[in-house]
Amino acid sequence: MAPVGEGPRRAELIAALSLAIDLGLGQPMEHMLRSALIATRIAERMGLSSEQRAVVFYASLVSWIECHADSHELTRLFGDDIAFRADTYTVDMTGLPFLRLLMSHVGRGLPHAERGLRAAAFLFTARRQMSELIRSHCGSAGVLSDRIGLDPRVSSMLAFTFERWDGAGLPAGTRGDAIPVEMHIVHLADIAEVHLRTGGPAHAVAVAHTRSGTQFCPRVVRAFDEAAAEITEDVLDQDAWGAALAQAPDRHRTLNRDELDELLRAMADFVDLKCPFLLGHSRNVSDLAATAGRHQSLPPAEIELLYRAGLVHGLGRMGVPNQIWEKPGPLTTSEWERVRLYPYLTGRILSRVGGLESVVALATTHRERLDGSGYPAGIRAADLNTTARLLAAAETYQRLREPRPHRQALTAEHAAARMRRDAGAGRFDTEAVEAVLAAAGHRTKRRAPWPAGLTGREVEVLRLLALGRSNRQIATELTITPKTTRNHLEHLYTKLGVHNRTQAGLAAIDLGLSQ
């Protein structure tokens, strides 16, 4: 946790980003953190300098930062992009075993005849297609590394993510010591973690030996072998988050507001690269939600909260295959279950970053609905405050304005009409919808005033009071101070002509404001 008064730590945010990368690789969360721990121990064993160990640490965390950007292309070739990446850890990525793996995934999910045609065509173009994907991957990975503020040396390492000791890698076929030793260590640690987890230390060492001189640098394999017990000790048993972050060279560095927003924008762009139709989605949601908050005259802290939650709301998308996101027809029940999980995964990814608790709590509610029909938790109106209602409306409006595989983008007028219909049906808050539409440039409908002259904020306070919330609980849920809560209560007592909480609760029921 960040100390009181300080912003989130950069190392924690990059560690959280690595959890999202894990999902895209089809690995359990903390795979990259454990890989970084193994890598830094190997680097120390080999006598690398502190500067080199710092490069090894961050290159381990983000070496696959761009893996999801080729998800669209991988899905066209291999079906489930996440399952394909997970399977690549089971073989040395060259020669006949790798070719058999590729062919086993080509055209998955297609009719048998069409799959056969795809496989035949792929045989003639496999290396070219994979080379193009990897060249794009490496270039974009370096850009994202720079965007999240990492040392330029980390960015330069990422050009070698798919290269091999024997020169059989891609995209340039770089070999041997022309690949920096830091990246040789990252290559081994990434694979070693998987085989350590699935087969134990002896199995991890055996895999390293099998690939020594081909995929892996013999010198790195030797260092790993000679101290395997020490290097792998407690890797699977201890808290990977804490253990890995203890190795972060800048683990105490906190971010100021501008630095935090820039890093969150980079994370937004990172996840939006997963699907072609998502490009710019998170930034647009963020801007729209914050502008809608200004239309509702929210305090600056709540507008900032909306902006940041809008940026990171979609991180959990990484855990859902593009085969589902890009499906042109109706989803199956099991596919829907995976989709409904992604806001929860957003929370899991960011839950241990100190100083972002309120952002995470808000971001995970963006698919919830007032009538309880949303997901992942089916939260109802009483537990969705103003910021949650605005974020849900902003995300939905922006999504409707974008094309999806199963529909074209809605015009601004059709999207507004759809939002208003859903608000009328009780799924969205009418005020939130009108604020979002105003932020998007629509003429808005003036809502009939609340009864008894209550303001929208006073109605929120009254609804929570009627549910038995204490002043402190009301302040926490609405992200306001206890003093502001007391002021709202005094004003609404006066307007309702009541003298205590019980009378106010009864008045809320009489006015139809208890839900």
Side-chain angles (χ1 to χ4, degrees):
M1 300 288 288
V4 175
E6 294 185 1
R9 295 174 180 169
R10 188 182 71 163
E12 287 189 340
L13 271 165
I14 296 173
L17 186 59
S18 81
L19 301 181
I21 295 170
D22 291 336
L23 293 176
L25 293 173
Q27 299 300 323
M29 281 189 179
E30 300 184 340
H31 158 68
M32 302 304 296
L33 290 172
R34 288 188 291 267
S35 297
L37 186 57
I38 292 170
T40 51
R41 288 177 177 179
I42 294 174
E44 186 173 4
R45 174 78 182 182
M46 294 181 68
L48 270 63
S49 68
S50 59
E51 291 79 9
Q52 287 176 301
R53 294 199 301 273
V55 170
V56 166
F57 177 80
Y58 277 120
S60 291
L61 286 187
V62 304
S63 60
W64 296 105
I65 192 171
E66 194 61 15
C67 70
H68 66 292
D70 56 18
S71 294
H72 175 68
E73 289 79 9
L74 286 182
T75 297
R76 291 169 56 194
L77 289 171
F78 304 121
D80 187 328
D81 57 300
I82 294 177
F84 171 74
R85 292 193 193 95
D87 281 353
T88 62
Y89 280 90
T90 65
V91 300
D92 188 349
M93 291 176 63
T94 190
L96 285 176
F98 186 47
L99 181 60
R100 282 196 293 269
L101 172 67
L102 293 176
M103 297 306 295
S104 74
H105 279 269
V106 170
R108 272 195 183 180
L110 295 175
H112 184 73
E114 186 176 351
R115 184 176 182 183
L117 291 173
R118 287 277 186 96
F122 180 74
L123 276 173
F124 291 100
T125 60
R127 186 170 181 86
R128 178 181 59 78
Q129 291 191 64
M130 297 303 293
S131 182
E132 288 174 356
L133 284 176
I134 288 168
R135 186 174 288 106
S136 173
H137 171 114
C138 294
S140 300
V143 171
L144 276 175
S145 173
D146 291 340
R147 287 276 316 282
I148 62 178
L150 292 178
D151 188 312
R153 288 174 296 177
V154 174
S155 174
S156 68
M157 291 295 154
L158 301 186
F160 301 98
T161 299
F162 292 90
E163 300 291 0
R164 298 164 51 93
W165 173 263
D166 61 7
L170 293 169
T174 309
R175 67 171 59 240
D177 290 328
I179 301 170
V181 66
E182 295 93 332
M183 206 60 194
H184 281 309
I185 294 172
V186 170
H187 287 158
L188 176 60
D190 179 36
I191 300 297
E193 191 282 334
V194 173
H195 291 281
L196 172 67
R197 176 165 32 87
T198 57
H203 179 59
V205 170
V207 170
H209 269 293
T210 300
R211 305 185 191 181
S212 179
T214 55
Q215 183 175 8
F216 301 138
C217 168
R219 188 160 61 98
V220 175
V221 172
R222 185 163 54 251
F224 179 55
D225 182 19
E226 290 173 350
E230 176 186 338
I231 290 168
T232 62
E233 184 180 7
D234 296 331
V235 167
L236 301 179
D237 300 326
Q238 62 184 322
D239 171 33
W241 178 272
L245 284 172
Q247 303 297 318
D250 58 347
R251 57 188 173 276
H252 300 302
R253 177 187 168 185
T254 57
L255 299 168
N256 62 37
R257 290 173 61 182
D258 290 342
E259 289 173 332
L260 174 59
D261 287 343
E262 181 57 32
L263 182 46
L264 294 182
R265 281 191 289 269
M267 294 175 77
D269 295 342
F270 157 80
V271 72
D272 286 356
L273 288 172
K274 183 168 172 61
C275 299
F277 51 78
L278 283 176
L279 198 61
H281 170 82
S282 296
R283 284 198 187 219
N284 290 335
V285 169
S286 176
D287 290 337
L288 189 58
T291 304
R294 295 186 190 95
H295 274 275
Q296 285 206 330
S297 301
L298 296 187
E302 292 186 31
I303 294 170
E304 183 178 72
L305 177 62
L306 277 166
Y307 179 75
R308 292 174 176 168
L311 289 173
V312 300
H313 75 273
L315 276 172
R317 288 180 181 272
M318 292 293 296
V320 182
N322 275 46
Q323 194 173 37
I324 293 176
W325 291 127
E326 299 186 27
K327 187 174 180 179
L331 300 183
T332 66
T333 300
S334 62
E335 289 169 340
W336 258 117
E337 286 304 310
R338 295 195 70 171
V339 168
R340 290 168 65 88
L341 194 63
Y342 90 84
Y344 162 78
L345 292 175
T346 295
R348 282 285 312 280
I349 290 166
L350 294 168
S351 63
R352 297 188 67 176
V353 179
L356 278 191
E357 293 83 0
S358 57
V359 172
V360 177
L362 176 57
T364 57
T365 67
H366 73 276
R367 296 304 293 260
E368 301 288 359
R369 300 293 180 257
L370 301 188
D371 61 359
S373 64
Y375 57 84
I379 298 172
R380 301 184 71 87
D383 294 310
L384 294 169
N385 61 19
T386 298
T387 51
R389 296 174 185 209
L390 283 169
L391 181 60
E395 193 280 332
T396 302
Y397 178 83
Q398 180 59 38
R399 180 162 33 86
L400 292 174
R401 294 286 289 118
E402 298 164 349
R404 292 293 184 268
H406 62 283
R407 62 162 175 80
Q408 294 182 338
L410 272 63
T411 65
E413 292 73 21
H414 285 136
R418 169 83 170 269
M419 294 293 297
R420 284 168 172 151
R421 283 198 305 273
D422 283 349
R427 287 185 281 277
F428 293 106
D429 178 84
T430 300
E431 280 194 271
V433 166
E434 292 303 322
V436 166
L437 295 181
H442 292 269
R443 280 188 173 183
T444 59
K445 299 178 180 178
R446 296 187 62 85
R447 183 191 57 77
W450 291 112
L454 296 173
T455 66
R457 181 60 98 183
E458 288 165 354
V459 169
E460 287 185 308
V461 172
L462 179 59
R463 282 171 168 158
L464 291 173
L465 178 150
L467 289 170
R469 304 288 200 275
S470 67
N471 284 11
R472 184 175 296 277
Q473 289 171 324
I474 292 172
T476 298
E477 294 193 37
L478 297 181
T479 323
I480 57 179
T481 66
K483 180 179 179 181
T484 301
T485 302
R486 289 194 298 274
N487 290 339
H488 285 313
L489 286 172
E490 290 175 6
H491 294 155
L492 69 87
Y493 279 11
T494 299
K495 292 177 180 180
L496 295 174
V498 300
H499 304 286
N500 56 45
R501 301 172 77 88
T502 300
Q503 291 174 354
L506 291 173
I509 295 171
D510 290 340
L511 295 171
L513 298 177
S514 60
Q515 292 294 324

